[in-house]
Amino acid sequence: MGVDIFFLIIFSILFLMMGTSGLLAILNPYLYWKLTEGWKYKNLEPSDANLSMIRLDGILMLLFTVFWLGVLIYMKNSFGSG
């Protein structure tokens, strides 16, 4: 029982972080770039291609999060009720 709760808490935190990161990348790729890469450089702006790739990465992160969240819910419903 304790392992199930630990597993659920860890994956909930992971999904929350990944989903939030994906949403930030989709909604504001410039801020995402600034937080992840921009702090390393002075007087440098990301290219349009870089911002597009960040937005695509955000979409993939969000899809990955939704998919694995669905798998986790399915597993919990299938195996947790027995």
Side-chain angles (χ1 to χ4, degrees):
M1 182 72 165
V3 174
D4 290 338
I5 292 173
F6 177 75
F7 179 74
L8 185 63
I9 290 171
I10 293 296
F11 276 95
S12 296
I13 292 170
L14 177 69
F15 292 141
L16 182 65
M17 288 172 31
M18 197 161 194
T20 303
S21 180
L23 276 176
L24 178 63
I26 292 169
L27 298 176
N28 196 344
Y30 180 79
L31 178 61
Y32 188 86
W33 178 84
K34 202 70 160 159
L35 293 172
T36 58
E37 298 292 327
W39 62 271
K40 298 175 189 176
Y41 311 105
K42 289 185 181 179
N43 302 325
L44 184 67
E45 296 295 320
S47 66
D48 289 339
N50 194 346
L51 293 176
S52 296
M53 287 305 297
I54 290 172
R55 188 165 276 150
L56 178 63
D57 288 345
I59 292 169
L60 293 175
M61 277 191 282
L62 212 51
L63 288 174
F64 181 82
T65 301
V66 169
F67 173 77
W68 282 108
L69 188 58
V71 168
L72 183 65
I73 291 170
Y74 174 77
M75 288 175 62
K76 184 70 174 161
N77 290 339
S78 295
F79 302 114
S81 60

